[in-house]
């Protein structure tokens, strides 16, 4: 008799029935836009896979066929979908379909093949953590063609990135909302959520029913803060123009010319090569700026965690127009690891930063410098407690949100 | 490893700009120095002394193929001012070497070509804070080294106007014969002058009388004079090019100007900016010491290249230095391999007479070991051992390069071990598009599956192909097929050829998207993949 058998209390009745755990529903994680070795898609899927593994039998993630095999953090991903977004994202693969409408048909075939291969039924769940136009449209089509008993419940999470990415129709986002309204009216089993409060409210008004709010789930443990000096600020994720890469120099320069000089360091991930080659002079000025360290555009998950470990804060001067409705995985990472956030006003997640109290919302370079000075003056112990409190509140909210949404 | 050959530009015996690096090497290795004058190279000296285990090329990057051809580990330190305008083929010709770059811009360029590069940032020790200069008035120092480039007294007047209390001109141009403008009249500041000092102490004594340093050249490989001035706490003012703009963040720790469109500037904050420059040196010097401590390991980690056959090495030593000295066109033709340095630029390569290779249906050989430890293998066309790989449609009559003869050419190879990723195939191609009815288009098939279309640029171009793992055969022959859109006939040659290829390298494909996108160095659109 094993140790486990000795300590497990016997139950009355049939032993094998009593020992069998209740069957967990299968959860299929889908993201056909997961194709680049950088960006949010790969880490996002890993977050969901980890977070939901306790409640579901997670299958997948199913991603684009063209995701490079060499992406180390995507070793267990299933490369299933074609790529539907050549008009929006440049990848190193040829178009699978070119004619108008062909992409929609290709996506529908991909979804149908997935459903057939895994014999999806009413007991299964499908989660799309970053909804995109063609996948959502295809899921609705496939669901509609299946008998009610063979329709899995589909959870669509809108993040405001690829929902309107199509050349097939004049206004793809409106088209998608129309299709969802019809699907809901026809009783298709779909549940909607958005990443940010602003986006959830907008979708709710447009669709005419409540839309859940589900930020990224909290992954990772709070890390101890490094020694107080130098104050290290991490610009996390591959550099991007819409994530304020071109604003970082002004902030770093202003800090270097302030009384904070020598006390603050910036660690900045560079742009991917395709963009970097066009802004080499700017990158050289960042490189020359006192206190700035440049990091590669692509870091592994372990390297990213190491950067958080060495840093006190993250900086996110994201474009207010582009991020008016969008959230950020970096915000969740900063909350999870217990790091302060500096971000711009006008983004959807600025309200979350204000609500959880885990950072500063700034409008100008001067406000960034003032906020950095304020953080530099704060006792580290006090900072750790404050960030721990923000983390705890966020964890409670997100856990509740996911338990209410995905059942 | 103990014996290192340090190959340096002869001019540096005078400027001693490589001395700090040489000293660093001498702490760890027995170093032999070879000073090369690129205009009058001593070809016999280009054979490394017996016992040499590694070669360090300081600025003379074009010599890398010669030392690699001797089977020597080679570390190349290109300088931005000397190499930034050279074509990609110049760097690709040093495949198998390691690179260390003092310029970030050059480092990125080399890295984006798929070559291994370390980014170094040399920072001298700072002077003690008590020795920092006073800034009650601004006293300028200009080494008028290249007045023909516009960095001269007139430029200083434009930038500073009457903000300078004095200007010292160290009037030692690199080329005394170079044309220079007359000094402008009515300068708002007094000017003193010096020429070559007896020793460095004289130069430094003069520098110590000043607190503003105008960098003397448009661009630098490292910028030792600029860095020394920054380390002394002087305000450094320099043209906005590497490496100046990689050490100076404009108006933070120095000032950058555009020598081609200069304007008056306000130097009221000179003292604060100069102090931040000194602080930059103080903060970054320890980082340089840490980098310097790793250079021995960097040398030891270099891959050991395969030596060239003696006749190929002789050919390279005879032709490469002269071609480089003869100018960019001759150098590019020599890099292109099959072309003779004496041939006109647009002419097709000179052809040697001889039959094409006979078809060999034996099992394909395994790829030869890669020069780079990370590589899967190579096919080196400079080596007669490459012949068994070549199947239909090749002419094997020229050294180093093989011509594809006719519209279709195939080669076969076996992988040394099963591939667990896609494979990146890199090679150099040479064609003369003017000889083709339309620019050459090459379709590439792997084991019968279409992989990619490429358009080799005129003359030499780098081609990078991604061979999908699912198309590859483990433990069996893999056939690469090149299908050409057209052929041309060279004068006095019976063959009809299309494109010549140089050494092919097989590497595990990486996550890095840039290398596949740069499949053709001339900047054409990235070739698309096709599914099988």
């Amino acid at each position: 008799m094993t140790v486990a058998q000795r300590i497990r209390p016997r139950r009355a009745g049939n032993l094998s029935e009593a020992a069998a755990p209740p069957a967990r529903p299968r959860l299929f994680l889908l993201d056909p836009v997961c194709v680049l070795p950088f960006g949010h898609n790969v880490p996002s899927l890993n977050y969901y896979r980890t977070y939901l593994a306790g409640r579901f039998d997670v299958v997948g993630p199913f991603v684009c066929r063209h995701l490079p095999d060499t992406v180390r953090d995507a070793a267990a991903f299933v490369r299933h979908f074609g790529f539907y977004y050549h008009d929006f994202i440049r990848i190193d693969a040829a178009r699978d379909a070119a004619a108008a409408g062909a992409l929609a048909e290709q996506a529908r075939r991909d979804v149908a093949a997935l459903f057939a291969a895994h014999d999806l039924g009413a007991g299964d769940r499908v989660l799309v953590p970053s909804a995109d136009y063609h996948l959502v449209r295809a899921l609705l089509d496939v669901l509609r063609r299946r008998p009610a008993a063979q329709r899995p419940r589909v959870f669509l999470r809108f993040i405001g990135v690829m929902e309107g990415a199509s050349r097939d129709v004049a206004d793809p986002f409106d088209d998608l909302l129309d299709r969802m309204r019809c699907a809901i009216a026809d009783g298709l089993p779909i549940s909607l959520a958005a990443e940010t409060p602003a986006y959830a409210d907008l979708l709710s008004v447009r669709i005419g029913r409540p839309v859940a709010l589900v930020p990224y789930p909290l992954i990772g443990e709070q890390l101890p803060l490094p020694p107080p000096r130098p104050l290290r600020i991490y610009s996390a994720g591959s550099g991007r123009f819409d994530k304020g890469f071109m604003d970082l120099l002004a902030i770093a320069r202003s800090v270097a010319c302030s009384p904070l000089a020598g006390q603050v360091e910036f660690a900045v991930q560079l742009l991917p090569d395709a963009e970097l080659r066009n802004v080499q002079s700017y990158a050289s000025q960042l490189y020359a700026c006192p206190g700035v360290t440049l990091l590669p555009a692509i870091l592994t998950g372990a390297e990213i965690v190491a950067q958080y470990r060495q840093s006190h804060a993250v900086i996110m001067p994201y474009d207010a127009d582009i991020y008016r409705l969008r959230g950020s995985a970096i915000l969740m990472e900063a909350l999870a690891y217990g790091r302060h956030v500096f971000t711009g006003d006008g983004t959807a997640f600025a309200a979350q930063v204000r609500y959880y109290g885990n950072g500063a919302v700034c409008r100008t370079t001067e406000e960034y410098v003032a906020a950095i000075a304020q953080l530099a003056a704060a006792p580290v112990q006090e900072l750790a407690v404050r960030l721990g409190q923000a983390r705890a509140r966020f964890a409670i909210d997100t856990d509740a949100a996911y338990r209410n949404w995905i059942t | 490893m103990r014996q290192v050959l340090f190959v340096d530009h002869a001019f540096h015996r005078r400027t001693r700009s490589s001395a700090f690096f040489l000293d660093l090497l001498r702490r760890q290795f027995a170093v032999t120095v070879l000073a090369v004058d690129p205009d009058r190279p001593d070809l016999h000296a280009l054979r490394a002394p017996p016992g040499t285990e590694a070669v360090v090329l300081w600025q003379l990057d074009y010599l890398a193929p010669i030392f690699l051809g001797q089977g020597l580990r080679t570390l190349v330190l290109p300088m931005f001012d000397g190499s930034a305008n050279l074509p990609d083929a110049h760097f690709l010709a040093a495949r198998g070497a390691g690179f260390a770059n003092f310029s970030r811009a050059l480092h990125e360029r080399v890295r984006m070509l798929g070559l291994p590069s370390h980014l170094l940032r040399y920072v001298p020790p700072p002077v003690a804070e008590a020795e920092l200069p006073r800034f009650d008035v601004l006293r300028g120092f200009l080494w008028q080294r290249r007045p023909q480039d516009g960095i001269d007294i007139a430029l200083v007047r434009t930038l500073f106007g009457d903000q300078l209390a004095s200007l010292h001109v160290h009037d030692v141009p690199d080329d005394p014969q170079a044309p220079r403008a007359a000094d402008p009249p009515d300068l708002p500041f007094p000017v003193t002058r010096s020429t070559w000092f007896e020793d460095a102490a004289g130069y430094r004594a003069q520098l110590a009388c000043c607190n503003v340093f105008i960098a003397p050249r448009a661009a630098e490989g490292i910028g030792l004079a600029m860095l020394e001035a920054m380390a002394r706490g002087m305000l450094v003012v320099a043209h906005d090019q590497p490496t100046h703009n990689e050490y100076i963040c404009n108006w933070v720790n120095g000032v950058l100007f555009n020598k081609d469109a200069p304007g008056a500037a306000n130097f009221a904050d000179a003292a604060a900016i100069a102090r931040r420059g000194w602080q930059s040196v103080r903060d970054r010097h320890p980082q340089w010491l840490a980098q310097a401590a790793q250079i021995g390991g960097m040398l030891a980690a270099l891959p050991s290249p395969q030596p060239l056959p003696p006749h190929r090495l002789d050919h390279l030593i005879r032709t490469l230095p002269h071609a480089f000295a003869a100018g960019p066109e001759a150098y590019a033709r020599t890099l292109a391999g099959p072309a003779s340095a004496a041939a006109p630029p647009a002419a097709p390569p000179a052809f040697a007479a001889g039959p094409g290779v006979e078809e060999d249906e034996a099992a394909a050989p395994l790829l030869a070991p890669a020069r780079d430890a990370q590589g899967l293998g190579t096919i080196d066309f400079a080596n007669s051992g490459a012949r068994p790989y070549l199947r239909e449609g090749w002419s094997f009559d020229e050294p180093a390069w093989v011509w594809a003869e006719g519209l279709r050419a195939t080669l076969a190879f076996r992988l040394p071990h099963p591939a667990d990723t896609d494979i990146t195939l890199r090679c150099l191609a040479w064609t003369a598009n003017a000889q083709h009815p339309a620019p050459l288009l090459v379709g590439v098939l792997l084991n019968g599956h279409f992989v990619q279309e490429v358009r080799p640029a005129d003359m030499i171009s780098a081609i990078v192909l991604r061979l999908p793992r699912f198309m590859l055969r483990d433990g069996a022959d893999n056939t690469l097929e090149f299908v050409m859109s057209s052929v041309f006939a060279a004068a006095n040659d019976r063959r009809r050829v299309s494109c010549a290829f140089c050494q092919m390298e097989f590497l595990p494909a990486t996550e890095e998207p840039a290398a596949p996108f740069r499949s053709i160095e001339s900047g054409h659109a990235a070739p698309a993949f096709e599914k099988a």
Side-chain angles (χ1 to χ4, degrees):
Chain A
M1 181 179 277
T2 67
V3 173
Q5 286 169 320
R6 282 202 303 274
I7 63 174
R8 182 180 296 149
R10 282 180 174 271
R11 294 183 186 181
N14 183 301
L15 181 61
S16 62
E17 281 178 13
R24 294 186 305 177
R26 295 187 300 174
L27 177 78
F28 291 79
L29 266 175
L30 315 185
D31 186 358
V33 191
C34 183
V35 67
L36 295 173
F38 49 86
H40 77 280
N41 301 74
V42 170
S44 159
L45 289 171
N46 276 321
Y47 293 146
Y48 277 99
R49 192 170 55 152
T50 306
Y51 180 72
L52 296 170
R55 294 167 50 198
F56 297 94
D57 179 10
V58 178
V59 187
F62 295 88
V63 299
C64 180
R65 284 198 290 271
H66 302 299
L67 177 71
D69 289 344
T70 47
V71 179
R72 277 169 282 181
D73 293 334
F77 290 13
V78 182
R79 287 154 175 81
H80 174 81
F81 294 101
F83 190 60
Y84 321 131
Y85 299 105
H86 285 281
D87 291 332
F88 304 90
I89 300 172
R90 183 179 175 183
I91 67 165
D92 193 14
R95 285 172 187 268
D96 297 312
L103 288 170
E105 177 56 23
Q106 186 193 356
R108 195 198 58 75
R109 280 201 309 267
D110 288 344
V111 170
L114 178 75
F115 277 33
H118 295 273
D119 193 23
L120 269 76
D124 294 314
R125 308 286 182 268
V126 172
L127 171 60
V128 183
S130 310
D132 63 282
Y133 175 84
H134 283 292
L135 177 63
V136 172
R137 181 174 163 177
L139 280 166
L140 300 181
D141 282 353
V142 171
L143 283 180
R144 195 181 299 279
R145 294 181 193 194
R146 289 170 80 87
Q150 292 177 23
R151 290 173 181 162
R153 184 148 203 95
V154 174
F155 297 86
L156 303 173
R157 179 172 175 268
F158 285 68
I159 67 169
V161 179
M162 298 298 287
E163 293 92 325
S166 172
R167 298 268 193 264
D168 289 357
V169 293
D171 189 336
F173 183 58
D174 267 2
D175 177 70
L176 205 62
L177 295 185
D178 284 344
R179 288 171 189 272
M180 285 195 298
R181 273 192 294 268
C182 291
I184 291 165
D186 292 347
L188 294 187
I190 61 173
S191 296
L192 306 182
E195 184 184 6
T196 65
Y199 199 19
D201 292 349
L202 180 138
L203 287 174
S204 172
V205 169
R206 299 287 298 275
I207 292 173
R209 58 178 288 173
V211 171
L213 166 65
V214 286
Y216 274 106
L218 198 59
I219 297 295
E221 296 302 313
Q222 183 168 0
L223 303 171
L225 286 165
R229 288 292 180 274
L231 185 79
R232 192 170 189 270
I233 300 170
Y234 175 33
S235 174
S238 304
R240 275 187 19 198
F241 297 124
D242 62 4
K243 290 187 173 183
F245 182 77
M246 302 302 279
D247 296 328
L248 293 172
L249 177 59
I251 296 168
R253 280 172 53 103
S254 297
V255 168
C257 294
S258 76
L260 296 167
Q263 302 176 55
V264 177
E265 289 181 357
F266 292 87
V268 176
Q269 279 189 249
L270 280 168
L271 296 163
D273 287 352
E275 282 98 38
L276 180 62
R277 68 179 81 250
N278 299 319
V279 292
Q280 289 287 19
S281 291
Y282 176 85
S284 286
Q285 283 291 277
L286 262 182
Y287 178 65
C289 188
V292 174
T293 300
L294 298 183
L295 303 171
I298 300 173
L299 297 177
T300 64
E303 290 167 336
I304 290 168
V305 174
Q307 288 299 323
Y308 277 108
R309 192 179 294 280
Q310 296 167 35
S311 304
H312 300 83
V314 295
I315 187 160
M316 306 167 62
Y318 289 15
D319 185 278
D321 288 335
I322 291 177
Y323 283 86
R324 186 173 53 88
L325 299 174
R326 288 189 195 178
S328 166
I330 306 291
L331 174 66
M332 179 281 295
E333 289 175 353
L335 277 158
Y337 297 131
R339 295 301 181 258
H340 193 82
V341 170
F342 300 107
T343 190
D345 203 3
T347 63
F349 52 84
Q352 291 168 294
V353 171
R354 287 193 177 102
Y355 177 71
Y356 289 110
N358 64 317
V361 178
C362 311
R363 284 168 297 185
T364 63
T365 298
E366 291 72 26
E367 288 189 5
Y368 274 104
V369 177
I372 291 168
Q374 196 173 1
L375 183 66
V380 166
Q381 190 54 37
E382 186 183 306
L383 176 65
V385 170
R386 180 167 57 75
L387 294 171
Q389 166 68 1
R391 185 186 193 284
R393 286 176 56 204
F394 184 79
I396 291 166
D397 288 355
T398 49
D399 279 346
Y402 278 96
R403 284 188 189 283
N404 281 328
W405 187 49
I406 306 184
T407 54
Chain B
M1 188 171 67
R2 292 296 308 156
Q3 300 287 331
V4 170
L5 177 65
F6 185 77
V7 185
D8 194 4
H9 197 300
F11 185 63
H12 294 153
R13 282 186 298 209
R14 188 170 189 185
T15 62
R16 293 186 50 76
S17 59
S18 54
F20 79 94
F21 199 83
L22 190 51
D23 290 345
L24 196 151
L25 289 178
R26 280 181 169 144
R27 278 181 227 148
Q28 301 177 62
F29 305 104
V31 182
T32 305
V33 177
L34 170 63
V36 175
D37 179 351
D39 293 331
R40 287 178 290 279
D42 175 2
L43 300 187
H44 297 293
L46 297 180
R47 292 186 190 277
T52 301
E53 292 167 279
V55 177
V56 175
L57 288 176
W58 185 268
Q59 184 166 338
L60 302 171
D61 3 332
Y62 72 97
L63 295 176
I66 289 175
F67 291 103
L68 290 166
Q70 294 172 56
L72 292 166
R73 294 169 171 174
T74 301
L75 179 66
V76 181
L77 294 110
M79 297 293 156
F80 183 87
D81 52 337
S83 300
N85 291 328
L86 294 172
D88 286 352
H90 165 79
F91 299 99
L92 292 167
R95 288 180 319 273
F99 285 82
N101 280 290
F102 286 98
S103 159
R104 195 202 70 82
L106 207 53
H107 161 75
E108 291 292 0
R109 181 170 170 202
V110 170
R111 184 185 66 77
M112 288 183 194
L113 285 169
L115 300 170
S117 175
H118 295 272
L119 176 58
L120 302 176
R121 174 144 62 183
Y122 172 69
V123 182
V127 300
E129 190 168 4
E131 297 172 31
L132 292 179
R134 292 167 54 87
F135 276 84
D136 43 354
V137 292
L138 299 184
R139 300 177 299 276
F141 181 98
L142 169 67
W143 179 356
Q144 200 161 241
R145 201 173 160 183
R146 294 186 64 83
Q148 69 271 30
D149 290 348
I151 299 177
D152 55 12
I153 297 174
L155 174 82
V156 174
R157 186 181 67 170
T158 304
L159 293 172
F160 287 88
D162 60 5
Q163 296 174 86
L164 275 187
S166 65
L167 175 68
H168 181 82
V169 179
H170 185 49
D171 209 352
V172 186
D174 287 350
D175 179 3
Q177 310 302 322
R180 56 194 290 180
D183 291 347
D186 303 327
L187 288 169
F189 41 76
V191 175
T192 55
R193 292 178 191 270
S194 58
T195 56
W196 279 112
F197 293 102
E198 288 295 313
D199 52 29
Y203 171 81
R204 294 202 168 105
Q206 187 60 56
L207 210 54
C209 297
C210 305
N211 54 16
V212 176
F213 181 86
I214 297 102
R217 302 202 305 159
E220 290 287 356
I222 302 175
L224 293 178
M226 164 187 73
L227 290 169
E228 181 180 349
M230 201 181 258
R232 298 173 74 95
M234 298 175 75
L235 171 67
V236 176
V237 183
H239 179 55
D240 187 1
Q241 277 286 300
T243 57
H244 301 141
N245 62 10
E246 298 172 357
Y247 285 97
I248 295 172
C249 185
N250 199 15
W251 294 105
V252 175
N253 54 357
V255 176
L256 298 170
F257 60 80
N258 179 353
K259 71 179 181 65
D260 301 313
N266 182 344
F267 290 92
D269 288 336
I273 296 169
R275 183 172 180 83
R276 286 195 289 269
W278 173 79
Q279 286 168 335
S280 300
V281 169
R282 182 196 62 188
D283 295 345
R284 288 170 174 166
H285 178 63
Q287 295 166 15
W288 160 249
L289 294 180
Q291 284 190 332
Q294 294 170 0
I295 286 170
M298 203 186 292
L299 270 177
L302 290 173
S304 292
Q306 275 190 320
L308 288 173
H311 71 282
R312 288 291 305 131
L313 181 61
D314 290 345
H315 177 74
L316 209 53
I317 292 176
R318 279 198 314 274
T319 56
L320 193 59
H322 289 306
F324 186 78
E329 287 189 5
Y331 180 51
R333 283 199 301 277
T334 299
L335 289 176
S340 120
F351 295 106
V357 67
E358 290 177 10
E359 196 168 314
D360 178 2
E361 288 304 328
L366 293 174
L367 292 174
R371 288 183 173 186
D372 184 331
Q374 294 173 341
L376 290 170
T378 62
I379 300 176
D380 189 349
F381 296 114
N383 188 326
S384 60
R387 187 178 286 257
Y389 298 101
L390 303 176
R391 293 291 164 88
E392 299 173 66
W394 300 99
S395 176
F396 201 67
D397 300 320
E398 284 78 26
W401 292 72
V402 289
W403 279 104
E405 190 172 9
L407 288 170
R408 181 173 167 274
T410 58
L411 60 82
F413 63 90
R414 285 185 181 223
L415 295 169
H417 52 77
D420 51 11
T421 65
D422 290 356
I423 288 178
T424 297
L425 167 59
R426 288 203 187 103
C427 62
L428 289 180
W430 197 101
T431 193
N433 275 322
Q435 303 286 331
H436 290 279
L440 178 66
L441 187 63
V442 183
V444 183
L445 291 86
L446 173 63
N447 296 324
H449 299 282
F450 183 71
V451 174
Q452 196 168 325
E453 262 180 9
V454 292
R455 292 181 183 276
D458 208 16
M459 306 286 282
I460 190 169
S461 56
I463 290 181
V464 180
L465 301 168
R466 192 177 179 110
L467 308 181
R469 181 182 61 173
F470 73 89
M471 293 185 190
L472 288 160
R473 296 174 184 152
D474 296 327
D477 286 9
N478 286 284
T479 303
L480 264 180
E481 185 173 352
F482 299 88
V483 181
M484 315 294 178
S485 60
S486 59
V487 295
F488 66 90
N492 306 318
D493 193 280
R494 63 182 174 78
R495 293 172 295 172
R496 296 177 70 78
V497 297
S498 51
C499 188
F501 293 88
C502 188
Q503 175 175 306
M504 293 183 173
E505 291 183 340
F506 295 78
L507 305 152
T510 65
E511 296 170 25
E512 173 56 64
F517 288 150
R518 287 187 66 81
S519 58
I520 296 178
E521 66 171 337
S522 59
H524 290 195
F529 283 176
E530 286 288 347
K531 281 192 306 137

